Amino acid sequence: MRLMFALCFTLSQIISSNLVSAQEVVISGTVSDANGPLIGANILEKGTSNGAQTDFDGKFSLKVSDVNAILVFSYIGYANKEVPVNGQTILQIEMQAVTAKLDEVIVIGYGTTTVKDATGSLAAVASKDFNRGIIISPEQLIQGKAAGVQITETSGEPGAGIEIRIRGSNSVRSNNNPLFVVDGVPLDGSATSTTGSDRPPRNPLNFLNPSDIENISILKDASATAIYGSRGANGVVMITTKSGKAGGSGVFEFSSFVSISSVAKRFDLLDRDEFLAGITQYGGDATAVDFGDNTDWQDFVTRTSISQNQNLSWSKNYGKGNILATFGYGKENGVVNKSSLERITGRLNWSHRLLKDKLKLSFRGALSKVNDEAFSPVQALSYAYTANPTIPTSVDFSSPGILTPSEVLEYQQITGYTNRFLGNFSADYAFTSELSVKLTVGYDNSESTTISVNSRDNLDAFGAPDRGTGDLFDINVANNLFEAIVTYKKKFENSSLDALLGYSYQDFQRSGRNVMGWGFSTSDLNEAGKDLENAANTIEAAISGSYQQYGLGTNAPDIFVNRLFPLGTDMISPVPTSVISIFGDTFDFTDKLQSFFARLNYSISNKYLFTATIRADGSSRFGPDNQYGYFPSGAFAWKVNEEEFIGPAFSTLKLRLSAGITGNQEGLGFANFVRSERYAEGRIGNGGEINIPGTQVISFVNNALKWEETLSFDVGVDFGFNNDRLSGSIDLYRNETEDLLIKVSAAQPSPRPFIFQNLDAIVLNQGIEFALAYDFVQSEDFKMDASFNIAYNENELQDFAGQIPAGAINGQGLSGAFVQLLAGDQPLFSYYLRPFEGFDDNGQPIGDGQTFVGQDALPNVTAGFSLNASYKNWNFAAYFTGQFAYSVYNGTRNAFFTAGSLRSGNNVTKDVLTSGESGNAAAEVSERFLERGDYVRMQNATIAYNLPIGDIGTFKSLQLNVTGQNLFIITGYSGLDPEVNTTGANFLNDIPSAGIDNLAYPRPMIITFGLTAKF
C-alpha cells in the first residue's frame, strides 16, 4: 500500500511539473530602433506587474506565466508596442519614434507632460523640426514655429540682442522677454555680457550651442507659467539639452557647416556725379567738396563673409545610465568689416541609477567662450551712409573736420569676450513607487569684458590730437540655485493624483567696473586695450579698503578714491601707468529670491484633468511691506474624445480652461525701495582733466512698492483627426497687467526729482491663436507634412491719466526729439508724430503739432508656415514667417536722408533729389518717416541628401545639405529690414522703445553647405 501511494504521488508530481512547464516560458530578445539597440526599454507582461528592462546591448530576458501572454514594450519618445508571445521564445522588436505630435513629451516646470495631457497652453518644438543653417543662438531654432510667439533679432549683427514676446508686451519698463530655463536652471534675466559705447545689448543665449539642444518648450498661459511665479508673467521658455541614447560602444556624430553671407539689401545712395549735382541743386559749391574720387562707401565697409561651424558629440547609454559629451566651434563673420562672433563650447551630460534604480544622479554642465568683434553703429554705419562719395578710400586722406569710413575702420576697435559656465547636479530618490524627493544645485557664472579704443593717430577723434581714448567694461554675474522637490504620484481605481511640493532659493550676484582712459602712448589698438586694462589693474591693486571710484587726471597730481563706506574722498600717491588719465567706477550687489511652490494634478477616468498651482516668492528687491508675492493658478481640461458619444471622428479633442496670476520684478532693479546714494558718473575732458564727482541720490524710500501682477485667462481647444495626422489648437486669451513698475519724475518743486513706483494703470493684451499641422503623405518612400500658425494680439494701456515721452530720435536738428508716447487708451509704443501732408511751394513740410497717428510698433498679427518633404534619400524643408499690422519709424532716414543733410555736404539716397523738400526744411519727427513694417520672409530652405552607405565602412549615416536663410522678403518698407529695433540708442525716461530703425546692422542673406555624419 505504501509503495502504491509513493508511486501515485511521484506520478502526480511529474504530471504537475510538466503542466506548469507547459504554461511558463522564458522570452528573450533585443529591442532597437532604426539607429541601433535601445538601452533601458521597458518590457511588461500585460495585466501583471511582471517586467524587465533591456541592457546596454538592448537585450532582455523575461519569464512569463503563459505561452499566450502579451508583452508591452515601451520607451520614452516611442510608440508603445504590444506583441503576443504565441509560443515564441525569441523576439526581435523594433520601436517606432512617436509621430503623433500630440503624444510628444513636453518639458514643463519641474516635470513633463504631453499636449494630450496638458491643462495649460504650451507648445514644443523638437530638434527634428528646428530651423536649419548657421544658427547662433537657440531662439533662432524656433523662430515662427509657435503661435503667439514673436521672436525678433534687433539687427543682423552676429550675436545681436533678441526680443521674444509671448502673447504681446505686458510691461512698460520691465523686461518683456520670457524667463529662460536651461535644463531646469532659471537664468538671470539681466544682461550677462558687456557691450560698451552705444551698442545694443547682446543675446543672453549666445553661450549655448544650438546643436546641443534636444527640444524647446514654450509655456504661455498662467496655468503653465505660475509654477515660476514672479518670473512667469512674460511666459517661460524651457530649453532641454540632449542626453546619451546610443548603446554598445557609443555613437560619434560630427557636423560641419560653411556659410557664405552677403548684405541682403543696400541703400540706393548717390554716386559721385549725382552727389555733385545735388550739391549744386541746393545752392552749394560742388567744387569745394569734390575730392576727385567715386567711392561706394557701403561697399567699402561691408563684405561677403565666410563663416563656419563644427560640432562633435559622443553619446552612450549603458543600461544604468547615459552620457553625452560635445565640443563645438563656430565663427560667424559679419557682413560689416571688423565684426564677428566666435564661440567655443563644451558640454557633459551624465545620469546614473543606483540602489536598485531608486536613486538617480544627474549632472548637466556646459562651458563656453564667446569672442566679440564689433563696431558702434553710429561710427561704422553713419559715416558709410553719409560720407562724401568723392573722397578716396586711402586712410592717408586728411581734411579738417572730416572723419572718413577708412579712418573708422583703421583707427577704432571694439573687442570683447564672455566666459560662462552653466551646470546643475541633482539627486532624485524614490522612497517608494509613489513618493520621491529631488534635490538640485545649480551654478551659472559669466565673466565678460569689452574694450573699445580709439587710436592716437586718429586726428579727428574726440579729444585732443595724438591722444588716444578707450573704454573698458567688466561684468561678473553669478547665479546660485538650490531646489528641493517632493513628488507624490498615486493611481486609484478610476483616477490618478500627481502632487508636487517644492522650495527654491536663488541669488544673483553682479559686480564689475567701467573704466575710461586717455592719452595712450601706442598706435597699436590691441596694445592700447592692454595698456588700459593694465593701468586699471595697477591702480586698483594700490587701493586698500572698499571704494566705488578712482581717477587720475592731468589736472591733479594724485589719484583720488571715492569711498561709500565710510563716505568720503581719499588721495593717494600716483601709480605709474602708460595711460595719462584714467577714471574707474565699480559696482557690486546681490539680489535674492526665495520661493515655495506646489502643484496638484488630478485626473478622473483619463477624461477630466484638474491642475492647481501656487507659488510664493520673496524678493530682496522689495521692502518689508510687500516682500512676498503670491501667484496662484487653476486649470481644467476635458478629453472630449474619450466620451462614448463622440465616436471615432476625433483621435484627440480636448477643451482647456485656465486662469491665474503671475508676476514681474525685472523693472525695479537693486534696492530701489530705499534711499540710497552713490557717486555720480565721471568723465575725462578733452585735455585729460577729471573733475571729482560728488554723490547723488539714486533711489528714495518707498516701502509700498510691490510686484507687477498679470491676471490671465485662457480658453483653448486641442484637436486631432485620423490618429492625429491632422492636428491643431485654438486659444483665446486675455492678460491684464497692473501695478506696473516704473521710474517717474516727481512734480516740482520736490526734494525728490524722481521715484520708483507702481503705475496706476493696466496693460491689456487679448487675442486668439491658431495652429494646424497635417501629415499629407506617409508612405515608405515619400513623406510630406506642413504646419501653419497665426496669432492676433491686441494691446492697450488702460486707466492711465498721464503722458510719458519715449523713443528718442537722434540727428542734426533733432535734439530732444521723441516719436512714441505712453498714454492711456493707446497701445504701448504708439507713435506720436507731426502729421505729414507733403511739402508746400517753399519745400517746407505741411503738418503742425505732434499727435497720435493711429499706429504702433507692436504687430497685431504674427504667422509662420513650415513645409517638410522626403523622397527616399532626399529631404526638403522650407519655412516662411511674417508679421503684420505694425509700423516702423525709419530713424535712419529721418536723421540722414533729407535735403538738409545733402546741403550740409553729406550723401543721401537718390529719392531725396526728387522729394520736393527744401534744403533748409525744418528737421522734425514726422509721419513722413513712419512706414508699414508688414512683411513675409522666406526664413529658411534646406535640401539634404542621405548617402545610401548601408553597413559599409565606418559611417552609420552620412548626410549632405544646403540651406538658405533670409532668401527673400516681401515688404513695402524702404529701410534695410522691417524686423528691427535698435533699443540701445533710443531710451528716454528709462522706457524701452520698439519698432525704431536707427542705423541697424544690415541683415545678411546666408547660404550654408553642411555635412553630418554618425559613426
Side-chain angles (χ1 to χ4, degrees), residues 961-974:
N961 55 74
V962 179
T963 298
Q965 294 169 262
N966 191 29
L967 293 175
F968 64 81
I969 184 170
I970 302 171
T971 182
Y973 180 60
S974 68

Side-chain angles (χ1 to χ4, degrees), residues 22 103 161 168 195 228 273 294 397 429 466 487 495 596 763 775 845 863 880 943 951 988:
D103 284 323
T195 55
Y228 287 106
D273 294 338
N294 186 14
F397 171 85
Y429 186 78
D466 295 314
T487 303
S495 62
F596 305 88
V763 173
D775 292 336
F880 295 83
I943 297 176
D951 296 325
L988 182 64

Side-chain angles (χ1 to χ4, degrees), residues 23 95 130 148 251 287 381 561 567 584 628 691 740 760 769 807 889 923 927 983-984:
Q23 295 299 315
M95 304 288 285
F130 286 162
V251 168
T287 60
L381 299 177
V561 180
L567 183 66
Y628 274 87
N691 295 320
L740 304 165
D760 186 16
E769 300 168 349
Y889 192 82
E927 198 174 2
T983 304

Side-chain angles (χ1 to χ4, degrees), residues 131 137-143 151 153 162 164 203 205 216:
N131 293 324
S137 62
E139 85 289 340
Q140 295 174 332
L141 297 169
I142 61 169
Q143 193 169 19
I151 301 176
E153 299 167 51
I162 57 168
I164 301 180
N203 190 325
L205 302 179
I216 299 177

Side-chain angles (χ1 to χ4, degrees), residues 337-374:
N337 286 313
K338 293 180 70 174
S339 65
S340 65
L341 182 142
E342 180 183 46
R343 179 177 56 210
I344 305 168
T345 63
R347 170 171 291 279
L348 178 65
N349 288 356
W350 167 82
S351 66
H352 188 79
R353 298 191 300 272
L354 301 165
L355 305 179
K356 298 182 179 179
D357 295 343
K358 288 183 175 292
L359 176 63
K360 181 181 179 181
L361 303 179
S362 178
F363 171 80
R364 291 176 178 257
L367 279 168
S368 69
K369 182 177 182 63
V370 176
N371 298 318
D372 263 317
E373 177 192 24

Side-chain angles (χ1 to χ4, degrees), residues 573-881:
S573 298
V575 178
T577 73
S578 58
V579 183
I580 296 175
S581 296
I582 188 168
F583 176 82
D585 196 336
T586 67
F587 57 91
D588 188 353
F589 59 87
T590 300
D591 288 319
K592 300 177 182 180
L593 188 66
Q594 177 176 256
S595 308
F596 305 88
F597 52 90
R599 180 173 61 208
L600 180 68
N601 291 320
Y602 188 64
S603 171
I604 301 176
S605 301
N606 195 32
K607 298 179 185 178
Y608 314 108
L609 312 176
F610 301 87
T611 298
T613 304
I614 180 70
R615 180 161 178 142
D617 280 327
S619 173
S620 62
R621 293 188 179 184
F622 296 96
D625 293 351
N626 294 294
Q627 197 159 55
Y628 274 87
Y630 301 91
F631 308 101
S633 76
F636 166 72
W638 176 24
K639 292 185 178 181
V640 184
N641 61 290
E642 296 291 339
E643 301 288 358
E644 293 183 1
F645 62 80
I646 287 297
F650 289 92
S651 51
T652 296
L653 181 61
K654 182 178 67 175
L655 173 66
R656 292 179 280 105
L657 304 171
S658 70
I661 297 173
T662 49
N664 195 345
Q665 60 168 339
E666 294 301 324
L668 184 57
F670 173 73
N672 282 314
F673 66 92
V674 296
R675 188 184 189 279
S676 58
E677 296 183 31
R678 78 185 323 266
Y679 286 95
E681 294 182 5
R683 62 180 298 272
I684 301 177
N686 290 342
E689 70 279 0
I690 302 176
N691 295 320
I692 300 176
T695 61
Q696 64 177 6
V697 179
I698 59 172
S699 62
F700 298 91
V701 175
N702 186 357
N703 286 325
L705 277 176
K706 55 185 176 180
W707 309 79
E708 285 187 7
E709 291 188 347
T710 299
L711 175 62
S712 301
F713 302 92
D714 184 275
V715 178
V717 176
D718 301 321
F719 58 86
F721 302 91
N722 191 16
N723 196 29
D724 294 341
R725 284 187 62 184
L726 174 63
S727 62
S729 64
I730 302 173
D731 277 85
L732 293 168
Y733 62 87
R734 180 183 176 91
N735 298 336
E736 298 177 3
T737 304
E738 60 182 8
D739 295 325
L740 304 165
L741 290 166
I742 197 167
K743 179 182 178 181
V744 297
S745 298
Q748 299 301 311
S750 170
R752 299 184 297 182
F754 62 87
I755 188 173
F756 284 87
Q757 69 177 45
N758 294 102
L759 203 63
D760 186 16
I762 293 175
V763 173
L764 172 66
N765 284 280
Q766 57 185 351
I768 183 171
E769 300 168 349
F770 175 70
L772 189 67
Y774 184 49
D775 292 336
F776 290 96
V777 182
Q778 288 289 343
S779 66
E780 183 176 351
D781 289 335
F782 180 61
K783 298 180 177 63
M784 185 173 70
D785 65 80
S787 61
F788 171 75
N789 69 80
I790 189 169
Y792 171 81
N793 183 77
E794 180 183 317
N795 177 279
E796 186 176 88
L797 179 65
Q798 298 181 335
D799 302 332
F800 179 51
Q803 292 187 340
I804 305 177
I809 293 295
N810 303 302
Q812 186 174 354
L814 294 172
S815 178
F818 64 93
V819 297
Q820 293 174 345
L821 189 68
L822 187 71
D825 300 324
Q826 299 288 336
L828 298 180
F829 313 112
S830 288
Y831 292 108
Y832 190 74
L833 306 167
R834 293 172 66 92
F836 179 69
E837 301 170 5
F839 298 103
D840 62 19
D841 294 339
N842 296 318
Q844 297 296 323
I846 302 173
D848 295 323
Q850 282 187 245
T851 185
F852 285 109
V853 295
Q855 299 181 56
D856 63 86
L858 300 178
N860 289 115
V861 179
T862 58
F865 174 75
S866 296
L867 178 65
N868 301 282
S870 65
Y871 177 70
K872 294 186 177 179
N873 293 330
W874 291 91
N875 296 297
F876 171 77
Y879 168 64
F880 295 83
T881 183

Side-chain angles (χ1 to χ4, degrees), residues 919-966:
N920 62 358
E924 59 185 8
V925 291
S926 165
E927 198 174 2
R928 170 189 176 192
F929 305 105
L930 186 67
E931 304 181 45
R932 298 295 289 180
D934 301 32
Y935 72 87
V936 173
R937 186 194 308 276
M938 189 170 190
Q939 185 80 25
N940 197 286
T942 298
I943 297 176
Y945 180 69
N946 299 295
L947 275 69
I949 58 176
D951 296 325
I952 301 174
T954 304
F955 296 106
K956 295 184 178 180
S957 66
L958 184 63
Q959 184 189 82
L960 304 177
N961 55 74
V962 179
T963 298
Q965 294 169 262
N966 191 29

